[in-house]
């Protein structure tokens, strides 16, 4: 196999691997970790309500960044952090609040 074909084959495998990895179903732990990384989380609860397939989640999060923001803006912050995961979900329930 010449160098060009080997490079294409390698790149094709690499891109395919990345595509497969990006479609991996999220877990309660991975979602909580992303939110803790992206926000100053005071309290968090993530539940897989799909029966374990990772298609529906319920998220409750209390974070400092939510102070002074309306619920819609708070939810947008959560969805922006979880953008890749949300794209693969069938349902998501979000409850947010600022610390008291």
């Amino acid at each position: 196999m010449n160098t060009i074909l080997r490079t294409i084959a390698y790149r094709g495998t690499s891109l395919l691997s990345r595509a497969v990895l990006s479609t991996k179903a999220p877990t309660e732990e991975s979602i909580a970790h992303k939110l803790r990384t992206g926000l100053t989380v005071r309290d968090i609860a993530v539940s897989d309500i799909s029966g374990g397939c990772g298609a529906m989640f319920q998220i409750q999060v209390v974070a400092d960044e939510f102070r002074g923001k309306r619920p819609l803006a708070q939810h947008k912050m959560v969805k922006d952090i979880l953008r890749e995961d949300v794209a693969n979900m069938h349902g998501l329930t979000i409850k947010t609040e600022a610390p008291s």
Side-chain angles (χ1 to χ4, degrees):
M1 189 182 310
N2 69 34
T3 306
I4 294 173
L5 290 177
R6 277 186 290 198
T7 302
I8 290 171
Y10 172 76
R11 287 187 181 155
T13 302
S14 178
L15 291 173
L16 178 60
S17 298
R18 277 186 258 154
V20 169
L21 288 175
S22 69
T23 59
K24 183 180 175 187
T27 64
E28 294 169 349
E29 294 80 17
S30 69
I31 290 172
H33 175 74
K34 286 181 181 181
L35 291 172
R36 284 189 183 103
T37 302
L39 300 168
T40 308
V41 173
R42 301 295 180 137
D43 190 30
I44 189 165
V46 180
S47 301
D48 182 345
I49 56 174
S50 66
C53 72
M56 294 181 67
F57 287 90
Q58 181 175 347
I59 299 171
Q60 298 175 334
V61 62
V62 179
D64 291 343
E65 290 83 355
F66 298 154
R67 288 185 200 273
K69 295 201 173 30
R70 295 177 185 230
L72 186 61
Q74 295 173 7
H75 291 198
K76 184 178 182 322
M77 292 170 70
V78 170
K79 287 193 286 185
D80 285 347
I81 292 169
L82 302 174
R83 177 170 285 132
E84 288 181 21
D85 295 323
V86 170
N88 296 315
M89 291 181 192
H90 294 287
L92 178 63
T93 302
I94 302 172
K95 181 179 179 188
T96 57
E97 61 183 274
S100 47

